[in-house]
Amino acid sequence: MDDGLTVGAEGLINRWGDRDNTRLFFRPALYGDDERSKRLSAASAPGVGRRELETVEWLRGPVCARIVDRIASAALPAGRYETDPAASAPGVVASVAGKLGLDEDPAVLYLQLLVLPRPTDRGIRTWNGWTAARHQEAAAALVARGLVVEDKRDRAGRQVFLPGGWAPAPKKFYQPIEVWKADLLGLRLRYGGRVEDMLPLPTRTLPELFAEGWARVEAGEGPR
């Protein structure tokens, strides 16, 4: 089935002889506020195609537009990463450092641990251009202040964590995460505090996310 906007494809026959669920695909450029699009949205709401449609709506929405505008603005210095707040949100880093009495490196790492869904040791060193020794020094400063805790956790890829609860993920393509971060990232925890879904689409640009995470800490709503 192909009506221009929506393409429906029957599932393939699996090894048990059953046909997998029908899949729906969309052409984002043709999706909008017309009646056909509204009917599609209503029909997809209960199940089939809902995730795909949400992606289409996100691509046409304000968050994606702000991300595209930021990329087009070339505000990020050449060769740097948005995931490094020293490059993408230097004002927030300065606020963290000043309020908590930290040097810049620990302030940067604290922000990354606060808001990034997967701040692995390898990722942090790549994004920040840090050596292992520099990373460890920043982490040790946060541990000494009681802002993070040292631990070993399955599939985390790091040694320091925000205080508070930890949400494990039973499936490899789900991301285990600190409980405090779930609400910030729009991730709903289920069945006893486990991650039972993939990370949702972004609700903010990364500079906005760093600012929001720090604002919550300043308001007394930080991890503990």
Side-chain angles (χ1 to χ4, degrees), residues 134-199:
R134 185 174 175 182
H135 184 189
Q136 290 164 4
E137 184 176 352
L142 297 178
V143 172
R145 291 288 304 278
L147 294 168
V148 301
V149 296
E150 291 183 288
D151 200 0
K152 292 184 179 180
R153 299 178 186 177
D154 186 44
R155 294 174 48 214
R158 54 188 161 114
Q159 283 72 53
V160 292
F161 303 84
L162 301 178
W166 176 254
K171 297 182 180 179
K172 65 181 181 180
F173 48 88
Y174 295 166
Q175 177 59 48
I177 198 170
E178 288 99 335
V179 170
W180 184 84
K181 271 193 271 198
D183 177 67
L184 181 68
L185 298 174
L187 180 65
R188 291 184 299 173
L189 303 181
R190 306 177 185 179
Y191 308 113
R194 295 189 304 172
V195 178
E196 294 282 355
D197 205 352
M198 290 181 286
L199 285 167

Side-chain angles (χ1 to χ4, degrees), residues 9 30 35 44 48 53 55 71 83 94 112 122 130 219:
L30 299 180
E35 286 302 316
S44 301
V48 175
L53 185 58
T55 302
I71 294 170
T83 40
Q112 291 172 311
R122 177 179 293 181
W130 287 356

Side-chain angles (χ1 to χ4, degrees), residues 89-148:
V92 183
V93 173
S95 179
V96 172
K99 186 70 175 287
L100 298 180
L102 296 171
D103 291 336
E104 181 177 285
D105 281 2
V108 165
L109 180 58
Y110 185 55
L111 280 172
Q112 291 172 311
L113 293 170
L114 272 180
V115 309
L116 298 181
R118 195 164 189 269
T120 64
D121 289 345
R122 177 179 293 181
I124 293 293
R125 293 167 192 171
T126 298
W127 303 326
N128 300 356
W130 287 356
T131 62
R134 185 174 175 182
H135 184 189
Q136 290 164 4
E137 184 176 352
L142 297 178
V143 172
R145 291 288 304 278
L147 294 168
V148 301

Side-chain angles (χ1 to χ4, degrees), residues 74-81 87:
L76 186 71
R80 304 292 292 275
Y81 292 85

